[in-house]
Every structure is written in C-alpha cells, then in structure tokens.
Amino acid sequence: MSFSITFNNETKQYDNPLTILDIIGNSKEYVCAYVNGRVRELTYLLDKDSVLIPLTCKDRDARAIYESSLRYLVAMAMHNLHPNFEIRFSYNVSRSIFMQILNQGATSNVQIARELEAEMKRIVALDLPLVRSIVSKEEAEKILTEIGAQDKLDILKYRPEKTAHFYTCDGYKNYMYNRMVPSTGYLNKWKIRFYHPGVIIQYPRPEEGGKIPPFEEAPTFGRTLKRAHQWAKTIGCDTIVGINHRIEKDGDIDFITLNEQRHNRQLCELGQMIEDGKEDIRLICIAGPSSSGKTTFANRLRIELLSRGIEPIRISMDDYYLSRDQAPRDENGDPDLESVDALDVDLFNQNIADLISGLEVELPKFDFVLGRRVTGRKLKVPLDQPIIIEGIHALNEKMTESIPSHQKFKIFIAPQAQVNIDNHNPMSLTDLRLLRRIVRDYQFRGASAVDTMSMWASVRKGEFRWIYDTQEGANYVFNSFSSYELSVMKKHAMPLLEAIDTESEYFPVAERLIRMLKFFDDIPDKWVPCNSIIREFIGGSCYEDA
C-alpha cells in the first residue's frame, strides 16, 4: 500500500518503507526530525503518510538529543582511554556538561582533557553508527553486570517497563534515556576545557542560534552547585536511587523533615548575615528564575528576621509596571513584560530612596484588571526597618541605582539540584522548574501542561536576558530544591503530562519529563509542612493569602 511523505513543501508517493535519512540525505547538520509533529530519530522508519521537518542545533527539540548523544561520545572515549575509570556527568557553568572522575585517587588534569579531545575527534572522524536495541529487563541486567555498570543496575530496579534500551557503537554499550543521532559523525560541534576537578564540554545551544556560547566564568553559581552536591552526597541523595533508598529507610516524615531542616539552616545563615550587617542594610533584594519559590521564601525570611528583632517591610515591584500601552515591545510587536523597561524604574528608585531617607511616600498599586497603576498606600519606614523587594529584576542595579551598595543585601534563589538518574545521566535544573510550574499553573490557574509549555520558551528567553547574570552579584544564593519534592509532585504532574496528545508539538517535552519522574517513589502530600516552599506549587500553603 502506497503512502505519501511531504518534505520541503513537496509531496511524494512511496510503496516501500524507508528511513528519514533516505528522504533528507546525509547532511550532518540535521540532528533529528519532526514526523507529524513528533520528534523522531533520523533512522526512524516511515511507512505511512507523513509530514517531515528536519531539526538542527538551532531547534529547541534537537538540543536534548544532541546533548545526550554527546555525553555518549564522551563516555565512550573515556572508556576507550581509561576503561577502569568511573565517570559522572553533571551540569555546570556556562550551560555546559561537566565530567568528573569518581575513582579514588584519580582526578582530571590538562593531559586527560587533551587525550579526551583527541579520542573524541578520532571517533567522530570514523562516523561510527549508533545502533539501538531493545532487550528484556533480565537481559539488561546481564549486560550491565558484565560491563560493571552498578549505577545503571540500581536504577533498572525502579524501571516500570519490562524492557530496556541500549545503543551500541563499535562494541561499546550505553543508554542515555533519550533518542540519539545516527552516527558519531553528527557530533562535530563541541569544545573541551580542563576545569578543576573535571572537564567541561560545551555544545551548541538553540538560544544561541545553534552556536556554542562563549565560555563565561560564574564563580558564585559554581560554588552553589558544589555546595548542593556536597549536601546531596552527605545525605546520600545525589541519585534517584539514593533518594528512593532514603525514603524506604527513613520513612516519608523523617525524609521530608531532613530536607526542610536544610532550608531552615539556610534561613538561619541568612538571618545571621543580615543581623550582623543591620546597621547598614536597608534594602533586601530577592530575585530568581521562574518557579524558584520566591514568594514562600520571602515570607519565611521575614519570619526569620522577626525572630531576631528585625521587622522588615515588603514592597511589591509588580506595582511599578507601566500600563500596557507604555510597555516596551518584543520582536513580534507584543508588550514585553519580562523587560526591566516594563517597570517605572525612575519612580521605583525615587520611592525607595525616599523611604530609606525616612520620608513618607505614597506608593502606587498596579490594578491588573484596569491594566494600569492606581493610588496605593502611604508608607513611612523607620530607620531601623529594612525593606524587602522581590521580583525578577530585584537584583538588577538599574532598579536600585539610587541606593548605595553597602545598604543593599542581594539574595538569589533557585532550585539547584545535583541529582542523577545514573552516573551518565544528570537531571536537568530547568526541567525541575518546568515541572514545578506545570503543577502550580494547573493548581492555581487551571492551566494545562501544554498552556505552561507554550509559554516556557518566552520565560527562558527573559531569564537568560535579565536574571541569570545577576546571580554573580548576590550576597547569598538560596538553594530552594528539596530532595523529596519530585516524589511528592510525581502524582500531580504525571496525569497532566500523560494527557498531552502524541501529535502535540509539546509531546517530546512531556516524554522527557515522564522518563525522569517514573523512577521516583511516591510520597503523600499530607506530610509536607504548610510553610514549605513545595506548598507554593502543590497547594495548601499557609502563605497563599499573604
């Protein structure tokens, strides 16, 4: 029976099955393709009517496939060079992959980085095929036992399916929980640099137009990730298996309390720092990317300061939005509400400066129904009371340029998870926040997962432009991640993700999130404290009406 394939606005009839590569050719620019809206590997077999759109590194849905294939290449090269070395991947500064050697007494150095680069280039030049195979879980156990992959054996026990996957390349077997490029020759865009105590691998990013971004040091972010990893290792929760084991060993209540205590300790550290500097600090600025838990955190910080005799006053930056007709426009001509210029920067600076000077100020209030500012409350702040401001632009110097640096205390908040599925497959920090937002938007706005996903690219664009760089100027970075949170959010998120139609353009994202969530043991909501940051997303927060 014949079928049609539409490619490059041209439709042709075919009588026999053929692969995507048979249609689009062997250009190494392509990474994968949409087939009727779904992401498919280039080796995917076409046997029915299809609309075919190839994707490159410029495309959002190609990034994860290129990155997972690149990790496969690095792991294979290291296996060829040092078969006894155990390595671990994580995410690091400058939107890169970080590889570290786990063997006791062994560490990366410049020589290892050079050897790795040369071996990767050799493998790429050979253009070796990556062949996918499906085996039973029992057969997978035998394979993983033979190759000594204990980390993959451990997570296999939590895999709900009866089968498992492998990719084989020149005798090397591995699986990265994602689709892959057809052969190593496609992996010709990357940069390597030694970065103690490991190696950084950079790769093309869609937000950079498919180019590798310039390397940027981010020491504050780097220290935050290191601290997060140390904490995860301390409690044995640097892997999903470790998290599940902790739940099984300690029980739900103890595990939740352990993680909440970590947040309490960070709040205590913050409170002490602010108390020590209270003679100078008049403005406490809180910022972070979407779904970081800023609202709950600001409330809990206020309580922490009250316990130290410090009575902060909160001012909402949202009240300083310009009306929509005055807002700057994005490239599509729509109001750009993510821009700092969507706020009345001059009025905000003037009001804050006057308040800190002890003057009475009539604050604005933004009426979101009317779409403009109206008259708000009058406020006079005693000289011993700091002001808390919270918002995506709170750390932007433009917003508070009228205030001397020594009078400002800047806090950056974000969930900095250092958790892996196994040693070769780290959990994405961005996917964690996306899951939080999917659950929250449904819980409080009745929005579907597709509604949230459709806005996510715009949200991410604003974060790269306005938020991430401000982290480096922060006095303190608060890690809002809790090791138990995905075990709690799993039952909230899974039905929303599974409801996404297989023909939806957002189905690939849903698939990726489901692949991560399915390994977590469940924890019931009832044990989550009402003042937990997690309550901001699943509901039941004591601060919902605050």
Side-chain angles (χ1 to χ4, degrees):
M1 183 175 178
S2 65
F3 56 94
S4 65
I5 296 177
T6 302
F7 171 59
N8 277 347
N9 296 318
E10 185 179 353
T11 301
K12 293 183 179 180
Q13 295 293 127
Y14 296 90
D15 295 321
N16 298 308
L18 69 173
T19 68
I20 294 172
L21 286 174
D22 292 329
I23 301 294
I24 68 174
N26 294 315
S27 170
K28 295 297 191 286
E29 288 299 308
Y30 297 134
V31 176
C32 55
Y34 287 136
V35 178
N36 296 332
R38 289 187 65 177
V39 174
R40 298 294 189 183
E41 291 177 316
L42 297 181
T43 53
Y44 180 75
L45 198 65
L46 303 167
D47 58 3
K48 61 182 179 181
D49 293 349
S50 303
V51 176
L52 188 61
I53 304 173
L55 304 179
T56 71
C57 287
K58 295 180 181 179
D59 297 295
R60 176 193 62 197
D61 286 329
R63 184 206 63 80
I65 291 176
Y66 193 92
E67 186 247 308
S68 59
S69 302
L70 185 58
R71 278 188 278 114
Y72 185 104
L73 173 64
V74 175
M76 178 179 174
M78 284 298 292
H79 174 78
N80 292 348
L81 292 167
H82 303 283
N84 295 325
F85 278 4
E86 190 175 1
I87 62 170
R88 179 188 176 101
F89 292 117
S90 58
Y91 296 114
N92 211 293
V93 298
S94 203
R95 291 171 275 175
S96 66
I97 306 165
F98 183 71
M99 184 209 76
Q100 188 170 355
I101 299 170
L102 299 180
N103 301 58
Q104 191 171 3
T107 185
S108 298
N109 53 41
V110 173
Q111 183 60 33
I112 284 179
R114 288 173 181 165
E115 290 175 355
L116 175 61
E117 182 177 25
E119 179 64 6
M120 288 173 65
K121 286 180 177 178
R122 185 189 74 83
I123 297 171
V124 169
L126 290 173
D127 196 18
L128 300 168
L130 281 81
V131 181
R132 184 174 186 259
S133 60
I134 302 175
V135 300
S136 67
K137 283 181 71 171
E138 292 74 21
E139 181 63 25
E141 287 178 10
K142 292 179 184 177
I143 294 170
L144 294 173
T145 301
E146 287 172 4
I147 64 179
Q150 187 60 48
D151 57 314
K152 295 180 185 292
L153 268 171
D154 290 341
I155 192 66
L156 187 66
K157 298 171 186 175
Y158 294 96
R159 184 178 177 87
E161 295 88 353
K162 294 181 180 180
T163 59
H165 302 80
F166 284 97
Y167 283 86
T168 304
C169 182
D170 196 29
Y172 174 76
K173 283 184 167 60
N174 207 336
Y175 181 55
M176 298 298 181
Y177 301 91
N178 210 330
R179 299 173 178 88
M180 306 286 275
V181 294
S183 63
T184 58
Y186 287 77
L187 301 170
N188 53 19
K189 299 183 181 73
W190 42 267
K191 291 181 181 179
I192 280 183
R193 65 191 298 143
F194 171 62
Y195 195 79
H196 181 79
V199 174
I200 270 183
I201 305 102
Q202 293 180 274
Y203 59 98
R205 303 285 305 199
E207 65 270 14
E208 296 289 336
K211 297 179 181 178
I212 299 173
F215 181 80
E216 294 180 0
E217 278 283 13
T220 300
F221 180 46
R223 284 193 297 271
T224 302
L225 291 178
K226 183 178 180 180
R227 192 180 184 189
H229 184 245
Q230 288 171 338
W231 163 250
K233 286 286 287 183
T234 297
I235 64 170
C237 291
D238 57 330
T239 64
I240 295 176
V241 170
I243 290 172
N244 289 345
H245 284 177
R246 194 87 200 202
I247 295 168
E248 293 157 10
K249 172 177 170 285
D250 295 347
D252 301 341
I253 297 175
D254 278 4
F255 188 53
I256 289 174
T257 305
L258 171 68
N259 282 273
E260 290 298 327
Q261 185 56 36
R262 171 64 172 167
H263 284 178
N264 292 340
R265 190 193 308 175
Q266 289 185 83
L267 284 162
C268 185
E269 289 175 354
L270 259 174
Q272 189 63 56
M273 291 172 72
I274 294 170
E275 183 179 2
D276 291 344
K278 67 180 180 180
E279 299 302 320
D280 290 322
I281 297 170
R282 298 302 316 283
L283 190 61
I284 299 169
C285 313
I286 303 169
S290 174
S291 305
S292 291
K294 293 184 288 292
T295 302
T296 301
F297 168 74
N299 277 295
R300 289 184 64 172
L301 178 60
R302 180 180 61 85
I303 299 299
E304 174 66 31
L305 296 178
L306 286 173
S307 75
R308 297 171 182 272
I310 301 169
E311 299 189 22
I313 292 172
R314 290 183 63 185
I315 291 179
S316 173
M317 296 181 73
D318 288 351
D319 288 328
Y320 288 83
Y321 270 113
L322 298 169
S323 58
R324 282 185 173 266
D325 61 322
Q326 295 177 292
R329 301 284 160 171
D330 61 19
E331 62 273 15
N332 299 318
D334 298 320
D336 185 3
L337 302 181
E338 302 286 335
S339 170
V340 69
D341 296 317
L343 298 166
D344 192 332
V345 176
D346 291 338
L347 179 61
F348 186 81
N349 266 284
Q350 178 186 325
N351 283 175
I352 294 296
D354 287 348
L355 287 169
I356 286 175
S357 299
L359 301 178
E360 185 176 69
V361 173
E362 185 174 82
L363 300 176
K365 181 173 179 58
F366 194 87
D367 189 315
F368 285 91
V369 176
L370 297 176
R372 59 179 173 82
R373 294 197 304 261
V374 296
T375 301
R377 58 177 171 156
K378 289 185 178 180
L379 183 65
K380 184 175 183 179
V381 181
L383 296 178
D384 61 347
Q385 286 184 271
I387 299 168
I388 292 178
I389 59 171
E390 174 253 306
I392 63 173
H393 299 296
L395 301 193
N396 190 321
E397 276 298 313
K398 188 175 181 179
M399 292 301 302
T400 58
E401 61 187 357
S402 62
I403 311 302
S405 294
H406 69 278
Q407 289 189 300
K408 292 183 280 194
F409 191 92
K410 296 182 176 182
I411 303 168
F412 188 91
I413 175 173
Q416 310 287 18
Q418 289 287 277
V419 179
N420 281 45
I421 298 175
D422 58 40
N423 286 338
H424 296 165
N425 292 278
M427 195 171 77
S428 164
L429 305 179
T430 304
D431 282 349
L432 170 64
R433 290 192 296 109
L434 176 55
L435 278 167
R436 282 181 170 189
R437 182 151 177 168
I438 287 170
V439 171
R440 185 192 66 188
D441 285 358
Y442 177 78
Q443 185 77 23
F444 295 103
R445 302 172 187 173
S448 69
V450 165
D451 292 334
T452 301
M453 290 176 183
S454 67
M455 299 184 296
W456 193 240
S458 175
V459 170
R460 292 282 288 152
K461 182 180 177 181
E463 290 171 351
F464 280 117
R465 185 176 181 186
W466 301 110
I467 297 177
Y468 288 131
D469 287 347
T470 65
Q471 179 174 189
E472 292 305 306
N475 298 97
Y476 191 94
V477 179
F478 186 94
N479 184 357
S480 66
F481 176 68
S482 288
S483 298
Y484 74 83
E485 66 177 88
L486 289 172
S487 298
V488 168
M489 284 200 286
K490 178 181 176 181
K491 65 177 172 293
H492 293 273
M494 280 295 228
L496 304 178
L497 298 171
E498 290 168 345
I500 295 178
D501 191 274
T502 57
E503 302 302 318
S504 168
E505 64 178 294
Y506 301 105
F507 183 75
V509 181
E511 271 191 311
R512 187 177 74 242
L513 298 177
I514 289 170
R515 276 197 299 268
M516 176 178 66
L517 276 176
K518 68 183 180 183
F519 291 107
F520 284 90
D521 279 348
D522 289 318
I523 291 180
D525 294 5
K526 62 181 179 180
W527 306 123
V528 180
C530 67
N531 68 343
S532 171
I533 283 174
I534 309 309
R535 285 288 177 192
E536 189 170 320
F537 307 101
I538 66 172
S541 172
C542 56
Y543 300 121
E544 280 178 17
D545 298 322

